[in-house]
Amino acid sequence: AVRVGLHGASAATHDRLVGVDGAFEQTVAGIRHLARHARRGLALSLSFTLVRDNLAELDDTLTLAHTLGLRHVHLRALTPIGPDTRHLAPDAEALTRALSGALSRWSDRLTLRVHDLPFCLLPDHTSAIEGDTPRRAHVTQPGVDYPGYLAAQRVRTPACNDCPHQLACDGFYATTSPSPPWVVPAELLVRSDATTPSPAALTPSTT
């Protein structure tokens, strides 16, 4: 299976969110290449993380995915990564309204899976929600426990006690979250022609 991340339907939005000019055109070209040359049976899908700056482009992104030949899209709510998450996350009501509308309009043409969102927020589309299964750690740096950090940010409300999905749902993400100790300072992530941070420079401090 191959899953490609796209963060907007326009170059302006995608490039701004990933911080690399030209990234949108490269990603779209890569998807076209995959759709054209992938062997039969290889599952190709798109991953789209919903944030405040791209929520309005959800339908246009699904249109683009369908036009490019993809038929599977993973829609991800933003998971916390420190106090600044609240500046990136969309309003919860706007998020669920956008997702509900997209699921109603596109489910006959695309297989849509929703991640990191409680079942109760999309009561008419619970079959599209991917439950909270054990997370795989897509992190290679020593000392970085991202799944453990995310699990610690989950909270349950009294309504969760009677929820039929409670075995497959870890609850809501807290509206505020502490900054994990292993987050790499932003200044070390800025690349230039003159210097690129070494792996050692990106290793989180243990002090």
Side-chain angles (χ1 to χ4, degrees), residues 73-157:
V73 178
H74 297 268
L75 302 171
R76 316 194 72 94
L78 184 66
T79 51
I81 193 67
D84 289 337
T85 304
R86 66 183 185 274
H87 301 303
L88 299 173
D91 172 77
E93 184 177 340
L95 172 63
T96 54
R97 185 169 57 248
L99 282 171
S100 181
L103 288 163
S104 296
R105 289 187 292 272
W106 283 95
S107 291
D108 61 332
R109 290 167 286 171
L110 294 171
T111 299
L112 302 177
R113 304 298 296 169
V114 178
H115 300 256
D116 300 309
L117 206 67
F119 290 82
C120 58
L121 294 184
L122 291 171
D124 296 329
H125 302 284
T126 54
S127 62
I129 295 180
E130 196 78 16
D132 293 312
T133 55
R135 294 178 179 274
R136 297 176 181 175
H138 300 286
V139 180
T140 57
Q141 291 294 335
V144 176
D145 182 13
Y146 188 47
Y149 169 81
L150 289 179
Q153 312 314 311
R154 289 296 189 111
V155 295
R156 290 183 178 272
T157 68

Side-chain angles (χ1 to χ4, degrees), residues 14-198:
H14 179 86
D15 290 2
R16 182 173 69 254
L17 288 173
V18 303
V20 178
D21 291 339
F24 177 82
E25 295 300 333
Q26 292 178 20
T27 301
V28 170
I31 293 172
R32 286 198 181 100
H33 185 80
L34 281 169
R36 184 178 302 118
H37 298 289
R39 61 176 173 79
R40 184 181 299 276
L42 179 65
L44 302 178
S45 63
L46 190 76
S47 181
F48 182 69
T49 299
L50 293 144
V51 297
R52 189 174 301 178
D53 286 352
N54 68 13
L55 186 62
E57 296 186 15
L58 173 56
D59 266 292
D60 287 342
T61 302
L62 295 177
T63 298
L64 177 60
H66 192 269
T67 301
L68 291 171
L70 300 181
R71 296 297 179 263
H72 301 270
V73 178
H74 297 268
L75 302 171
R76 316 194 72 94
L78 184 66
T79 51
I81 193 67
D84 289 337
T85 304
R86 66 183 185 274
H87 301 303
L88 299 173
D91 172 77
E93 184 177 340
L95 172 63
T96 54
R97 185 169 57 248
L99 282 171
S100 181
L103 288 163
S104 296
R105 289 187 292 272
W106 283 95
S107 291
D108 61 332
R109 290 167 286 171
L110 294 171
T111 299
L112 302 177
R113 304 298 296 169
V114 178
H115 300 256
D116 300 309
L117 206 67
F119 290 82
C120 58
L121 294 184
L122 291 171
D124 296 329
H125 302 284
T126 54
S127 62
I129 295 180
E130 196 78 16
D132 293 312
T133 55
R135 294 178 179 274
R136 297 176 181 175
H138 300 286
V139 180
T140 57
Q141 291 294 335
V144 176
D145 182 13
Y146 188 47
Y149 169 81
L150 289 179
Q153 312 314 311
R154 289 296 189 111
V155 295
R156 290 183 178 272
T157 68
C160 296
N161 296 329
D162 299 320
C163 177
H165 303 288
Q166 60 179 298
L167 293 179
C169 180
D170 292 334
F172 297 82
Y173 278 113
T175 54
T176 59
S177 59
S179 182
W182 34 259
V183 167
V184 176
E187 59 270 18
L188 292 182
L189 298 176
V190 178
R191 297 181 299 178
S192 69
D193 293 337
T195 180
T196 299
S198 66

